Amino acid sequence: MATYDFPQDLRDAQLALHQTRAAYEEYARALPWSAEPLPGWEAEKQLHSGFRSSKPGSPGYTEEQHAEVARFRAELLELSITVSTHPFWEQVEQGKVVDARMRLKHQHEAPDTEAA
């Protein structure tokens, strides 16, 4: 199993990316189902079932919600670029980049196993 000595700034950027993604997902759960105002709907009854899928009307996002979503997306894009274009990746042996990337993504979860 390969080990990688990730630079601190890359680890910090990856952790910030995780945290920002989690904050964005939490924020998005409280938003209306549509960014634009749309009427609700109810589908036809499903065959062999009494289930009818439906959605209530959506008021759409407020100006503040649109701005916050845009801010989150811009921050996520910037952090993604920072992580994916970091000079560290040029040092990783070809064919091992995916493995290194997966290890970086879970670096913050790994217990410290170097203590003997």
Side-chain angles (χ1 to χ4, degrees):
M1 190 176 339
T3 59
Y4 303 95
D5 187 20
F6 299 113
Q8 187 63 47
D9 65 328
L10 179 57
R11 289 194 314 254
D12 291 346
Q14 180 63 56
L15 183 57
L17 181 58
H18 280 303
Q19 292 169 337
T20 303
R21 166 73 60 200
Y24 173 62
E25 289 173 358
E26 182 178 335
Y27 180 75
R29 278 193 289 276
L31 293 173
W33 63 267
S34 174
E36 301 302 323
L38 287 176
W41 53 267
E42 185 171 347
E44 295 293 320
K45 179 180 157 304
Q46 299 296 309
L47 186 62
H48 307 297
S49 170
F51 179 72
R52 288 177 169 259
S53 61
S54 64
K55 284 271 191 202
S58 172
Y61 294 1
T62 65
E63 292 288 326
E64 294 80 17
Q65 289 169 327
H66 276 292
E68 187 66 0
V69 167
R71 184 193 68 75
F72 269 119
R73 288 182 178 171
E75 188 174 350
L76 288 167
L77 179 61
E78 185 62 35
L79 288 166
S80 295
I81 291 169
T82 299
V83 169
S84 64
T85 63
H86 193 281
F88 171 79
W89 302 117
E90 295 171 14
Q91 304 167 16
V92 178
E93 181 183 333
Q94 191 172 16
K96 304 256 186 206
V97 176
V98 172
D99 177 62
R101 181 74 182 103
M102 292 294 106
R103 291 184 189 281
L104 175 64
K105 284 183 175 186
H106 297 283
Q107 180 84 19
H108 66 284
E109 301 168 357
D112 186 11
T113 57
E114 295 180 337

